[in-house]
Amino acid sequence: MNIARMRQSARLLHLPVPETEAFQAALIELVRRAADIIPDAPASLYLRPTLIGTDPVIGKAATPSANALLYILASPVGDYFKTGAPMKLLVETEHARCAPHMGRIKCGGNYASALAWVLKAKEEHGANQVLFCPNGDVQETAASNFALINGNEIITKPLTSEFLHGVTRDSVLTIANDLGYTISERNFTVAELKAAVEQGAEAILTGTAAVISPVTSFVIDGKEIPVASTERGTAIRKAVTDIQFGLAEDKYDWLVRV
Ligand SMILES: *Cc1c(COP(=O)(O)O)cnc(C)c1O
């Protein structure tokens, strides 16, 4: 799924599209060669494939690059998940993370586009991240997807072009469905989010690095609203990492043997 997403991003950026088999073979070969520096779980080897256009031409505003370089950064990293860590989200209704037609593309410019609001949220509210909700439409943060866990229902935005289609989002919804949750992929507003959280709903962020980060509070219209519990999100996270660490059966065939 990660390779398919990078191919889609390349297509949407009008870059040459990496060939699936060669790309996967390069990833596996890199992991084999890095075997000695892969730390024990829950630390990991972070893989970040990067694609850049390389045509030696100045006038690229109207002509896509016919050539590109695909390289893969690999780095040992510690556990991104910190038990009990605060995750305070500033709910931002005025600004979008990036241009709406670029939302599902994983590209560096989108992070830069969001950075001003993230830094402002940190400075003015002590927030850890920004939840982008342009015109009240709940979307995602600068680098992770968002879902509301309201009782037995998990609510998250359907796959539109405005936001990044996370592989972890997909894994979490698959596992949560098997755990008996009702999955509702539908648009929802800040007003609905606020009412649900005030009545005890949980909220989570999903992304490859931390898998699931439970949200601990929201800042909405300058007022901090605490989230009552992080229990469900933490349990779903364990169901995912148990598969990653080989502690539970991989019945979805997600693991790649190297
Ligand atoms: C990478 C990313 C995610 C999470 O995607 P995963 O495939 O789950 O790692 C979500 N939102 C944004 C903006 C991202 O860049």
Side-chain angles (χ1 to χ4, degrees):
M1 283 183 77
N2 280 283
I3 290 176
R5 185 177 64 206
M6 188 181 222
R7 285 167 53 87
Q8 183 195 56
S9 290
R11 222 173 276 123
L12 293 166
L13 290 169
H14 300 279
L15 280 166
V17 178
E19 198 260 315
T20 301
E21 280 78 46
F23 189 177
Q24 178 154 341
L27 281 162
I28 289 173
E29 178 60 24
L30 174 60
V31 172
R32 280 201 188 111
R33 292 194 200 181
D36 290 348
I37 60 159
I38 300 175
D40 291 333
S44 59
L45 186 73
Y46 204 120
L47 299 175
R48 181 160 289 185
T50 309
L51 184 68
I52 55 170
T54 53
D55 280 9
V57 179
I58 293 290
K60 278 299 177 196
T63 328
S65 204
N67 296 284
L69 172 68
L70 173 66
Y71 59 95
I72 306 166
L73 301 171
S75 173
V77 292
D79 188 3
Y80 273 79
F81 181 74
K82 304 276 180 284
T83 309
M87 180 53 74
K88 178 176 173 181
L89 295 189
L90 177 72
V91 173
E92 165 63 70
T93 53
E94 255 173 69
H95 303 285
R97 179 178 65 96
C98 61
H101 67 289
M102 300 290 279
R104 67 174 157 162
I105 305 174
K106 207 171 200 35
C107 68
N110 284 349
Y111 297 108
S113 167
L115 203 48
W117 317 123
V118 175
L119 294 177
K120 193 165 177 271
K122 242 176 226 166
E123 202 178 286
E124 293 179 5
H125 299 277
N128 302 92
Q129 255 302 339
V130 172
L131 181 62
F132 289 97
C133 311
N135 300 315
D137 177 43
V138 179
Q139 297 188 345
E140 64 170 335
T141 73
S144 54
N145 293 131
F146 178 82
L148 193 59
I149 310 179
N150 195 6
N152 198 44
E153 186 186 16
I154 300 193
I155 306 160
T156 195
K157 197 171 165 61
L159 296 175
T160 66
S161 61
E162 302 146 285
F163 78 104
L164 202 286
H165 303 175
V167 176
T168 315
R169 171 189 179 280
D170 186 84
S171 307
V172 164
L173 295 184
T174 301
I175 285 182
N177 184 59
D178 277 8
L179 292 174
Y181 285 94
T182 301
I183 310 300
S184 301
E185 294 185 70
R186 60 171 173 84
N187 290 315
F188 59 108
T189 63
V190 170
E192 186 180 345
L193 165 70
K194 183 166 180 270
V197 169
E198 283 172 345
Q199 284 155 35
E202 283 189 36
I204 55 171
L205 303 180
T206 67
T208 299
V211 184
I212 284 177
S213 302
V215 178
T216 56
S217 70
F218 293 88
V219 178
I220 300 177
D221 293 331
K223 188 167 165 272
E224 185 166 2
I225 299 166
V227 179
S229 159
T230 57
E231 203 176 300
R232 290 186 165 97
T234 305
I236 300 169
R237 180 179 191 275
K238 185 172 183 313
V240 179
T241 56
D242 277 356
I243 295 173
Q244 293 177 330
F245 299 158
L247 301 172
E249 189 199 345
D250 173 28
K251 61 178 172 182
Y252 315 102
D253 203 19
W254 283 340
L255 301 185
V256 177
R257 306 267 161 207
V258 174

